[in-house]
Amino acid sequence: MNTKPARSLLCILTLFSSGPQLLAHGPGKDSDFEGRRVLFIGMDGCRADAIAAAMEKGLAPHLKALAADPQGLHSRQVYAGGELGEVTHQPTVSGPGWSSLLTGVWMDKHRVKDNRFFGARFQAHGHFMRHIKNVKPTSWCASFADWKPIHDMIADGSRVNGQEFLDVKFTLESHAEQYVAHDESMRDQALQTLRTQNPDVMFVYFGQVDEVGHAASDKRGSFSPDNEWYLKAISAVDTHIGSLLEAMRARPQFNEEDWLVIITTDHGGTGTKHGGDTDEERKIWLIAHGKELPKDRLLNTPVPQTAIVPLIYDHLKISTPLPTEP
């Protein structure tokens, strides 16, 4: 059973635009980070062995090509769930997973233990884009997600004194059956941003793979590399990712820009469930592309999902923030 909270059948659209959007720096090297930019893509509930199977079967050609590029990689050493038996140990469900991926800390700090977000401490350990905005107030950050807690809980919970740090925030409230269409909307809005704006950092979340894994959007689905419908969902998101990569590369001064592309997931699964400590639930993956990736470390040593945010900070050449409270 899907462990995410129930969603309304109504579709709710929220688009936030602040003043800095109109004042965004230009393309190429004309940016707060001298042309260094980030495209962070999340595929909810996508098992590591399933993404590998999809690439091997020709169902994820864009992911395969990105990983195979001399500046790319596909790490199978990444894990969710914190350190077993330690204070960082956390359930392998979406709430704690995305909290860790977007803040760079485990549950012992962000305090999110499930999808209700009770007791979350994002004021102390906030969304990574809040820190980017604190370091460079004129930087330009955008987020697109059709699982509303990404914005309603993690991003909004990270605001200090109500101050918005996202220049664009695109959300659709989604029921299980709507994720296919809503993922297309995430793609379309992100494409518009890549083509018409000059983002320093973008986060794009796709939810349909998880819903098929839960057999929520299609009763034939499960979290299995042998499940045809699960692999088809991965293939659909791969096509969306291909469109985003094409738009990124088509930017007018792309050759002057230094893009870090990060693609990963929050958890794996077993059967149609997840949340536990099995290898299938804890083992995740990372596909990345960039000029200065620490390939040896990412490919040959265990990588916690909390390492993603520091990778972004390193690329932008900014320091890791200190917590604002204990």
Side-chain angles (χ1 to χ4, degrees), residues 37-102:
R37 303 177 193 268
V38 177
L39 176 60
F40 180 7
I41 299 172
M43 297 173 63
D44 199 307
C46 185
R47 271 180 61 156
D49 50 6
I51 200 80
M55 289 193 289
E56 289 170 5
K57 294 180 179 182
L59 298 173
H62 301 101
L63 290 171
K64 184 175 182 178
L66 192 71
D69 186 89
Q71 293 184 7
L73 63 82
H74 175 196
S75 175
R76 298 170 174 85
Q77 297 283 330
V78 193
Y79 63 94
E83 308 299 334
L84 289 172
E86 304 293 335
V87 294
T88 59
H89 185 197
Q90 65 186 43
T92 51
V93 296
S94 293
W98 289 113
S99 295
S100 291
L101 282 164
L102 293 172

Coordinates of all heavy atoms in Angstrom, one line a residue, residues 37-102:
R37 N 26.0 25.9 -13.2 CA 24.6 25.7 -13.0 C 24.3 24.2 -12.6 O 25.1 23.4 -12.9 CB 23.8 26.1 -14.2 CG 24.1 27.6 -14.6 CD 23.4 28.0 -15.9 NE 23.9 29.2 -16.5 CZ 23.4 30.4 -16.2 NH1 22.3 30.5 -15.4 NH2 23.9 31.5 -16.8
V38 N 23.1 24.0 -12.1 CA 22.7 22.7 -11.6 C 21.4 22.3 -12.1 O 20.4 23.1 -12.0 CB 22.8 22.6 -10.0 CG1 22.3 21.2 -9.5 CG2 24.2 22.9 -9.5
L39 N 21.2 21.1 -12.6 CA 20.0 20.5 -12.9 C 19.9 19.2 -12.1 O 20.6 18.2 -12.4 CB 19.9 20.1 -14.4 CG 18.6 19.4 -14.9 CD1 17.3 20.2 -14.5 CD2 18.7 19.1 -16.3
F40 N 19.0 19.2 -11.1 CA 18.8 18.1 -10.1 C 17.5 17.4 -10.4 O 16.5 18.1 -10.3 CB 18.9 18.6 -8.7 CG 18.8 17.6 -7.6 CD1 18.7 16.2 -7.8 CD2 18.7 18.0 -6.3 CE1 18.6 15.3 -6.8 CE2 18.6 17.1 -5.2 CZ 18.5 15.8 -5.5
I41 N 17.5 16.2 -10.8 CA 16.2 15.5 -11.2 C 16.0 14.3 -10.3 O 16.9 13.5 -10.0 CB 16.3 15.0 -12.7 CG1 16.5 16.1 -13.6 CG2 15.1 14.2 -13.0 CD1 16.8 15.7 -15.1
G42 N 14.8 14.2 -9.7 CA 14.4 13.1 -8.8 C 13.4 12.2 -9.5 O 12.4 12.7 -10.0
M43 N 13.6 10.9 -9.4 CA 12.7 9.9 -9.8 C 12.2 9.1 -8.6 O 12.9 8.2 -8.1 CB 13.3 8.9 -10.9 CG 13.7 9.6 -12.2 SD 14.7 8.5 -13.3 CE 13.4 7.3 -13.6
D44 N 11.1 9.4 -8.1 CA 10.6 8.8 -6.8 C 10.5 7.3 -7.0 O 9.9 6.8 -8.0 CB 9.3 9.4 -6.4 CG 8.9 9.2 -5.0 OD1 9.0 8.0 -4.5 OD2 8.6 10.2 -4.3
G45 N 10.9 6.5 -6.0 CA 10.7 5.1 -5.9 C 11.3 4.3 -7.0 O 10.7 3.3 -7.4
C46 N 12.4 4.6 -7.5 CA 13.0 3.9 -8.7 C 14.2 3.0 -8.2 O 15.2 3.5 -7.8 CB 13.5 4.9 -9.7 SG 14.1 4.1 -11.2
R47 N 13.9 1.7 -8.2 CA 14.9 0.7 -7.7 C 16.2 0.8 -8.5 O 16.2 1.0 -9.8 CB 14.4 -0.7 -7.7 CG 13.6 -1.0 -6.4 CD 13.1 -2.4 -6.5 NE 14.1 -3.5 -6.7 CZ 14.0 -4.7 -6.3 NH1 12.8 -5.1 -5.7 NH2 14.9 -5.6 -6.5
A48 N 17.3 0.5 -7.9 CA 18.6 0.6 -8.5 C 18.7 -0.5 -9.6 O 19.3 -0.3 -10.7 CB 19.8 0.4 -7.5
D49 N 18.3 -1.7 -9.3 CA 18.4 -2.8 -10.3 C 17.4 -2.6 -11.4 O 17.7 -3.0 -12.6 CB 18.1 -4.2 -9.6 CG 16.9 -4.3 -8.8 OD1 16.1 -3.3 -8.7 OD2 16.7 -5.3 -8.1
A50 N 16.3 -1.9 -11.2 CA 15.3 -1.6 -12.3 C 15.9 -0.5 -13.2 O 15.7 -0.6 -14.4 CB 14.0 -1.2 -11.7
I51 N 16.6 0.5 -12.7 CA 17.1 1.5 -13.6 C 18.2 0.9 -14.5 O 18.3 1.1 -15.7 CB 17.6 2.7 -12.8 CG1 17.8 3.9 -13.7 CG2 19.0 2.5 -12.2 CD1 16.5 4.6 -14.0
A52 N 19.0 -0.1 -13.9 CA 20.0 -0.8 -14.6 C 19.4 -1.6 -15.7 O 19.8 -1.7 -16.9 CB 20.9 -1.6 -13.7
A53 N 18.3 -2.3 -15.4 CA 17.6 -3.2 -16.3 C 17.0 -2.4 -17.5 O 17.1 -2.8 -18.6 CB 16.5 -4.0 -15.6
A54 N 16.4 -1.2 -17.1 CA 15.8 -0.4 -18.2 C 16.9 0.1 -19.2 O 16.7 0.1 -20.4 CB 15.1 0.8 -17.5
M55 N 18.1 0.4 -18.7 CA 19.1 0.9 -19.5 C 19.6 -0.3 -20.4 O 19.9 -0.1 -21.6 CB 20.3 1.5 -18.7 CG 19.9 2.9 -18.1 SD 21.3 3.8 -17.5 CE 21.7 2.8 -16.0
E56 N 19.8 -1.4 -19.8 CA 20.3 -2.6 -20.5 C 19.3 -3.0 -21.7 O 19.7 -3.5 -22.7 CB 20.5 -3.8 -19.6 CG 21.7 -3.6 -18.7 CD 21.7 -4.6 -17.6 OE1 20.9 -5.5 -17.6 OE2 22.6 -4.5 -16.7
K57 N 18.0 -2.8 -21.4 CA 17.0 -3.2 -22.4 C 16.6 -2.1 -23.4 O 15.7 -2.3 -24.2 CB 15.7 -3.6 -21.7 CG 15.9 -4.9 -20.8 CD 14.6 -5.3 -20.1 CE 14.8 -6.6 -19.3 NZ 13.5 -7.0 -18.6
G58 N 17.3 -1.0 -23.4 CA 17.1 0.1 -24.3 C 15.9 0.9 -24.0 O 15.4 1.7 -24.8
L59 N 15.4 0.8 -22.7 CA 14.2 1.6 -22.3 C 14.6 2.9 -21.7 O 13.7 3.7 -21.5 CB 13.4 0.7 -21.4 CG 12.8 -0.6 -21.9 CD1 12.2 -1.4 -20.8 CD2 11.8 -0.3 -23.0
A60 N 15.8 3.1 -21.4 CA 16.3 4.4 -20.8 C 17.5 4.9 -21.6 O 18.6 5.1 -21.0 CB 16.5 4.2 -19.4
P61 N 17.4 5.2 -22.9 CA 18.6 5.6 -23.7 C 19.2 6.9 -23.2 O 20.4 7.1 -23.3 CB 18.0 5.7 -25.1 CG 16.6 5.9 -24.9 CD 16.2 5.2 -23.7
H62 N 18.4 7.8 -22.7 CA 19.0 9.1 -22.4 C 19.8 9.0 -21.1 O 20.9 9.6 -21.0 CB 17.9 10.2 -22.2 CG 17.1 10.3 -23.5 ND1 15.9 9.8 -23.6 CD2 17.4 11.0 -24.6 CE1 15.4 10.1 -24.8 NE2 16.3 10.8 -25.5
L63 N 19.3 8.2 -20.1 CA 20.1 8.0 -18.9 C 21.3 7.2 -19.2 O 22.4 7.5 -18.7 CB 19.2 7.3 -17.9 CG 18.1 8.0 -17.3 CD1 17.2 7.1 -16.4 CD2 18.6 9.2 -16.4
K64 N 21.2 6.2 -20.1 CA 22.4 5.4 -20.4 C 23.5 6.3 -21.1 O 24.7 6.2 -20.8 CB 22.0 4.3 -21.3 CG 23.1 3.3 -21.6 CD 22.6 2.1 -22.4 CE 23.7 1.1 -22.7 NZ 23.2 -0.1 -23.5
A65 N 23.1 7.1 -22.0 CA 24.0 7.9 -22.7 C 24.7 9.0 -21.8 O 25.9 9.2 -21.9 CB 23.3 8.7 -23.9
L66 N 23.9 9.5 -20.9 CA 24.5 10.5 -20.0 C 25.5 9.8 -19.1 O 26.6 10.4 -18.8 CB 23.4 11.1 -19.1 CG 23.7 12.3 -18.3 CD1 23.9 13.5 -19.2 CD2 22.6 12.6 -17.2
A67 N 25.2 8.6 -18.6 CA 26.1 7.9 -17.7 C 27.4 7.5 -18.5 O 28.5 7.5 -17.9 CB 25.4 6.7 -17.1
A68 N 27.2 7.1 -19.7 CA 28.3 6.6 -20.5 C 29.3 7.7 -21.1 O 30.4 7.4 -21.5 CB 27.8 5.8 -21.7
D69 N 28.8 8.9 -21.0 CA 29.6 10.0 -21.5 C 30.9 10.1 -20.7 O 30.9 9.8 -19.5 CB 28.8 11.3 -21.4 CG 29.6 12.5 -22.0 OD1 29.4 12.8 -23.2 OD2 30.3 13.2 -21.3
P70 N 32.0 10.6 -21.3 CA 33.3 10.7 -20.5 C 33.1 11.5 -19.2 O 33.9 11.3 -18.3 CB 34.2 11.3 -21.5 CG 33.7 10.9 -22.8 CD 32.3 10.8 -22.7
Q71 N 32.2 12.5 -19.2 CA 32.0 13.3 -18.0 C 30.9 12.8 -17.2 O 30.5 13.4 -16.2 CB 31.7 14.8 -18.4 CG 32.9 15.4 -19.1 CD 32.7 16.9 -19.4 OE1 31.6 17.5 -19.0 NE2 33.6 17.5 -20.1
G72 N 30.3 11.6 -17.5 CA 29.2 11.1 -16.7 C 29.6 9.9 -15.9 O 30.7 9.3 -16.0
L73 N 28.6 9.4 -15.1 CA 28.8 8.2 -14.3 C 27.5 7.6 -13.9 O 26.5 8.3 -13.8 CB 29.7 8.5 -13.1 CG 29.2 9.5 -12.0 CD1 28.2 8.8 -11.0 CD2 30.4 10.0 -11.2
H74 N 27.5 6.4 -13.5 CA 26.3 5.7 -13.0 C 26.9 4.9 -11.7 O 27.5 3.9 -11.9 CB 25.7 4.7 -14.0 CG 24.6 3.9 -13.4 ND1 24.1 2.7 -14.0 CD2 23.9 4.0 -12.3 CE1 23.2 2.2 -13.3 NE2 23.0 3.0 -12.3
S75 N 26.6 5.5 -10.6 CA 27.1 4.9 -9.3 C 26.0 4.0 -8.8 O 24.8 4.4 -8.6 CB 27.4 5.9 -8.3 OG 27.7 5.3 -7.1
R76 N 26.4 2.8 -8.4 CA 25.5 1.8 -7.8 C 25.8 1.6 -6.3 O 25.4 0.7 -5.7 CB 25.6 0.4 -8.5 CG 25.2 0.5 -10.0 CD 25.5 -0.8 -10.7 NE 25.0 -0.9 -12.0 CZ 25.6 -0.4 -13.1 NH1 26.7 0.2 -13.0 NH2 25.1 -0.5 -14.3
Q77 N 26.6 2.6 -5.8 CA 27.1 2.5 -4.4 C 26.3 3.4 -3.5 O 26.7 3.6 -2.3 CB 28.6 3.0 -4.4 CG 29.5 2.1 -5.2 CD 29.9 0.8 -4.4 OE1 29.8 0.8 -3.2 NE2 30.1 -0.3 -5.1
V78 N 25.2 4.0 -3.9 CA 24.4 5.0 -3.1 C 23.4 4.3 -2.3 O 22.8 3.2 -2.7 CB 23.8 6.0 -4.1 CG1 23.3 7.2 -3.3 CG2 24.8 6.4 -5.1
Y79 N 23.2 4.8 -1.1 CA 22.2 4.2 -0.2 C 21.3 5.2 0.5 O 21.7 6.3 0.8 CB 22.9 3.3 0.8 CG 23.8 4.0 1.8 CD1 23.4 4.4 3.0 CD2 25.2 4.2 1.4 CE1 24.3 5.0 3.9 CE2 26.0 4.8 2.3 CZ 25.6 5.2 3.5 OH 26.4 5.9 4.4
A80 N 20.1 4.7 0.8 CA 19.1 5.5 1.6 C 19.0 4.9 3.0 O 19.7 3.9 3.2 CB 17.8 5.5 0.9
G81 N 18.3 5.5 3.9 CA 18.0 4.9 5.1 C 19.0 5.1 6.3 O 18.8 4.6 7.3
G82 N 20.0 6.0 6.0 CA 20.9 6.3 7.1 C 21.8 5.1 7.4 O 21.9 4.1 6.7
E83 N 22.5 5.2 8.6 CA 23.4 4.1 9.0 C 22.6 3.2 9.9 O 22.1 3.6 11.0 CB 24.6 4.7 9.7 CG 25.3 5.8 8.9 CD 25.9 5.3 7.6 OE1 26.1 4.0 7.5 OE2 26.0 6.1 6.7
L84 N 22.5 1.9 9.6 CA 21.8 0.9 10.4 C 22.3 0.9 11.8 O 23.5 0.8 12.1 CB 21.9 -0.5 9.7 CG 21.1 -0.7 8.4 CD1 21.5 -2.0 7.8 CD2 19.6 -0.6 8.6
G85 N 21.3 1.0 12.7 CA 21.7 0.9 14.2 C 22.3 2.2 14.7 O 22.5 2.2 15.9
E86 N 22.4 3.2 13.9 CA 22.9 4.5 14.4 C 21.8 5.5 14.5 O 20.7 5.3 14.1 CB 24.0 5.0 13.5 CG 25.2 4.0 13.3 CD 26.0 3.8 14.5 OE1 26.0 4.7 15.4 OE2 26.6 2.7 14.6
V87 N 22.1 6.7 15.0 CA 21.1 7.7 15.2 C 20.6 8.3 13.9 O 19.5 8.8 13.8 CB 21.7 8.9 16.0 CG1 22.0 8.5 17.5 CG2 22.9 9.5 15.4
T88 N 21.4 8.0 12.8 CA 20.9 8.5 11.5 C 20.0 7.5 10.8 O 19.4 7.9 9.8 CB 22.2 8.7 10.6 OG1 22.9 7.4 10.5 CG2 23.1 9.7 11.1
H89 N 19.8 6.4 11.3 CA 18.9 5.3 10.7 C 17.5 5.9 10.6 O 16.9 6.4 11.5 CB 18.9 4.1 11.6 CG 18.2 2.9 11.1 ND1 17.7 1.9 11.9 CD2 17.7 2.6 9.8 CE1 17.1 1.0 11.1 NE2 17.1 1.4 9.9
Q90 N 17.0 5.8 9.3 CA 15.7 6.3 9.1 C 14.9 5.4 8.1 O 15.5 4.6 7.4 CB 15.8 7.7 8.5 CG 16.4 7.8 7.1 CD 16.6 9.2 6.6 OE1 17.0 10.1 7.4 NE2 16.3 9.5 5.3
P91 N 13.5 5.5 8.1 CA 12.8 4.6 7.2 C 13.0 5.0 5.8 O 13.2 6.2 5.4 CB 11.3 4.9 7.6 CG 11.4 5.5 9.0 CD 12.7 6.2 9.0
T92 N 12.9 4.0 4.9 CA 13.1 4.2 3.5 C 11.8 4.6 2.8 O 11.3 3.8 2.0 CB 13.8 3.0 2.8 OG1 13.0 1.8 3.2 CG2 15.2 2.9 3.3
V93 N 11.2 5.7 3.2 CA 10.0 6.2 2.6 C 10.2 7.6 2.1 O 11.3 8.2 2.4 CB 8.8 6.2 3.6 CG1 8.4 4.8 4.0 CG2 9.1 7.0 4.8
S94 N 9.3 8.2 1.4 CA 9.5 9.4 0.6 C 9.8 10.6 1.5 O 10.7 11.4 1.2 CB 8.3 9.7 -0.3 OG 8.2 8.8 -1.3
G95 N 9.1 10.7 2.6 CA 9.2 11.9 3.5 C 10.7 12.0 4.0 O 11.3 13.1 3.7
P96 N 11.2 11.0 4.7 CA 12.6 11.1 5.1 C 13.6 11.2 3.9 O 14.6 11.9 4.0 CB 12.8 9.9 6.0 CG 11.4 9.5 6.4 CD 10.5 9.9 5.3
G97 N 13.3 10.4 2.9 CA 14.2 10.3 1.8 C 14.4 11.7 1.1 O 15.5 12.1 0.9
W98 N 13.3 12.3 0.7 CA 13.4 13.6 0.0 C 13.9 14.7 1.0 O 14.6 15.6 0.6 CB 12.1 14.0 -0.6 CG 11.8 13.2 -1.8 CD1 10.8 12.2 -2.0 CD2 12.6 13.1 -3.0 NE1 11.0 11.6 -3.2 CE2 12.1 12.1 -3.9 CE3 13.8 13.7 -3.5 CZ2 12.6 11.8 -5.1 CZ3 14.3 13.4 -4.7 CH2 13.7 12.5 -5.5
S99 N 13.6 14.5 2.3 CA 14.1 15.5 3.2 C 15.6 15.4 3.3 O 16.3 16.4 3.3 CB 13.5 15.2 4.6 OG 12.1 15.4 4.7
S100 N 16.2 14.2 3.3 CA 17.6 14.0 3.3 C 18.3 14.5 2.0 O 19.3 15.1 2.0 CB 18.0 12.5 3.5 OG 17.6 12.2 4.9
L101 N 17.6 14.2 0.8 CA 18.2 14.6 -0.4 C 18.2 16.1 -0.6 O 19.1 16.6 -1.3 CB 17.4 13.9 -1.6 CG 17.7 12.4 -1.8 CD1 16.6 11.8 -2.7 CD2 19.0 12.3 -2.5
L102 N 17.2 16.8 -0.1 CA 17.1 18.2 -0.3 C 17.7 19.0 0.8 O 17.9 20.3 0.6 CB 15.6 18.6 -0.5 CG 14.9 18.0 -1.7 CD1 13.4 18.3 -1.7 CD2 15.6 18.6 -3.0

